[in-house]
Amino acid sequence: KILTAAGSHRAEAVREQAAFALRALLASAPAAAAISGGREFSSDVDLHTFQPTGVSDGMAERHNRAMTNNVPAFGEPNSELRDVLPMVELLSASTSDTEIESLLAALATMVCDHQMALLEAGAVVPLIRLLDRAGHEASILGGRANGVGIADAAGIVLSLWRWGRPDERAQLERMIVAVVDGLVKLLVTGSSIGREQAVSALCAMAATSDGVKLAIAEAGAVKPLIRLIRTSNKVDPSADHKVANDQSVSWGSSMVEEAEGVLWSLLALSRERSLDTRVSAEAAADLVQLLQTTPAMAREAAGVVRSLAANGKNRAALLQAGAADGLRLVLTTAGSRCSGDGVALAGK
């Protein structure tokens, strides 16, 4: 409960001590019986037997070896590995939301100092399973899908990706790309809690590789993220979860910042690749919508439009999508702050 408490009222030192205590309990007792209680999953997807298609053979082999023999893939187990193995084992076998939330919170506290141990323990596999399962839940449960733990799971995966060797990063990228569609599905159809979890997970995933960013864009994440930003000041998301699947539900500042973070990542990639990119009608429409968000994001979107418009075919697609009107609106509402990018196209 300490580890999963929301907000900043829990001092980080308290959370750290709770993580150490949980780790000590798991190291001295059978993992399967270390934590009891909690509500059962409401989905038909079994976390500890479901194998997502994105999990590479190498990662799965490392996970299975660690779980079966309680040893790393190479060499003898060290103290850090002994610390994390019971927690990874329990995460792999758990069917309780409460257990999973507690374990992920503990692992998130430990990941900064135990990246290699977590990789050797095969932690990637149950983490990817959690992310993959969230998408299946969204398809099955719709507005009742909560995406339990995926924000923490994605944050841990990001830390492991940053620590991994080039070959491990490449494997992780393929695994992440395989679960992106499901995360976007949760963002669109899940409960308010589920959509918050999806935004946080996508924000973490967008910080990995360009391939993941492209997958997020191609999965259709832009429009629901823009909708989230536009409705951010209308409704208190904590007021009533019964309206979870109402698209008018709005969000707190942290969720909006994370949504903007994903969009910034996609815009930055688009600008970098604009000279070699043929913009689709859908992508052009997304850019026009981005022109109608925050002033800062509108300026960045205008820069992308300007770069893309150097290509005649891109220019036609952008004009067809209404980019000229969008740029004029930016110039009207933001004044001199928008001088520069996009002015030439807006003038036509």
Side-chain angles (χ1 to χ4, degrees):
K1 290 181 179 178
I2 291 173
L3 288 166
T4 56
S8 60
H9 63 282
R10 290 288 186 182
E12 188 61 32
V14 176
R15 289 172 57 84
E16 184 177 358
Q17 288 302 317
F20 286 143
L22 181 59
R23 201 167 80 192
L25 286 172
L26 292 177
S28 60
I35 301 177
S36 61
R39 58 192 186 279
E40 294 299 315
F41 283 128
S42 52
S43 170
D44 292 333
V45 181
D46 186 350
L47 176 62
H48 60 281
T49 60
F50 182 72
Q51 180 74 5
T53 55
V55 173
S56 67
D57 292 339
M59 290 288 186
E61 181 180 356
R62 175 178 288 185
H63 170 74
N64 292 334
R65 176 177 177 132
M67 294 300 97
T68 303
N69 303 320
N70 205 43
V71 297
F74 307 101
E76 294 300 318
N78 55 37
S79 60
E80 289 187 357
L81 185 62
R82 285 193 292 268
D83 285 341
V84 302
L85 266 174
M87 303 182 77
V88 174
E89 181 181 8
L90 185 56
L91 182 63
S92 300
S94 180
T95 58
S96 163
D97 288 359
T98 303
E99 287 180 5
I100 288 172
E101 288 172 334
S102 299
L103 287 163
L104 289 172
L107 289 172
T109 303
M110 300 165 58
V111 70
C112 289
D113 299 320
H114 293 74
Q115 298 101 326
M116 185 58 69
L118 285 168
L119 284 170
E120 289 297 329
V124 169
V125 173
L127 292 169
I128 292 294
R129 284 176 180 164
L130 271 173
L131 295 170
D132 199 39
R133 179 186 160 279
H136 287 267
E137 270 197 339
S139 298
I140 296 169
L141 302 176
R144 295 183 292 116
N146 291 329
V148 172
I150 64 170
D152 279 338
I156 297 169
V157 169
L158 171 60
S159 295
L160 298 179
W161 181 86
R162 286 172 171 164
W163 183 260
R165 300 187 302 267
D167 60 322
E168 291 172 328
R169 284 190 172 194
Q171 290 180 27
L172 267 173
E173 179 181 328
R174 291 193 294 271
M175 296 160 73
I176 294 168
V177 166
V179 302
V180 161
D181 282 345
L183 295 178
V184 175
K185 179 73 172 177
L186 182 65
L187 174 65
V188 174
T189 65
S191 68
S192 60
I193 296 172
R195 283 186 277 163
E196 287 181 5
Q197 289 281 317
V199 170
S200 296
L202 288 170
C203 187
M205 298 297 88
T208 54
S209 69
D210 289 351
V212 173
K213 294 183 183 74
L214 287 172
I216 291 172
E218 291 172 357
V222 173
K223 288 183 176 64
L225 289 170
I226 292 173
R227 182 164 56 243
L228 184 151
I229 293 171
R230 285 178 174 174
T231 60
S232 61
N233 296 318
K234 295 179 181 179
V235 182
D236 179 1
S238 63
D240 187 357
H241 289 158
K242 292 182 180 179
V243 294
N245 204 34
D246 182 350
Q247 295 297 321
S248 67
V249 172
S250 187
W251 316 95
S253 59
S254 62
M255 290 300 103
V256 174
E257 289 173 1
E258 289 180 321
E260 290 179 343
V262 178
L263 294 173
W264 275 110
S265 297
L266 302 183
L267 280 171
L269 180 64
S270 297
R271 194 161 192 171
E272 290 172 5
R273 299 189 173 192
S274 58
L275 295 178
D276 304 318
T277 299
R278 172 72 184 275
V279 66
S280 66
E282 184 176 0
D286 288 343
L287 277 170
V288 172
Q289 288 199 34
L290 284 166
L291 290 169
Q292 303 169 32
T293 54
T294 63
M297 191 166 294
R299 289 198 301 274
E300 182 68 18
V304 175
V305 170
R306 180 187 182 187
S307 299
L308 289 170
N311 178 294
K313 292 181 178 179
N314 286 344
R315 174 186 284 263
L318 289 164
L319 289 171
Q320 183 68 31
D325 290 338
L327 288 166
R328 291 191 185 101
L329 179 63
V330 171
L331 291 169
T332 301
T333 57
S336 60
R337 290 176 299 171
C338 290
S339 61
D341 286 345
V343 172
L345 182 59
K348 296 185 181 296

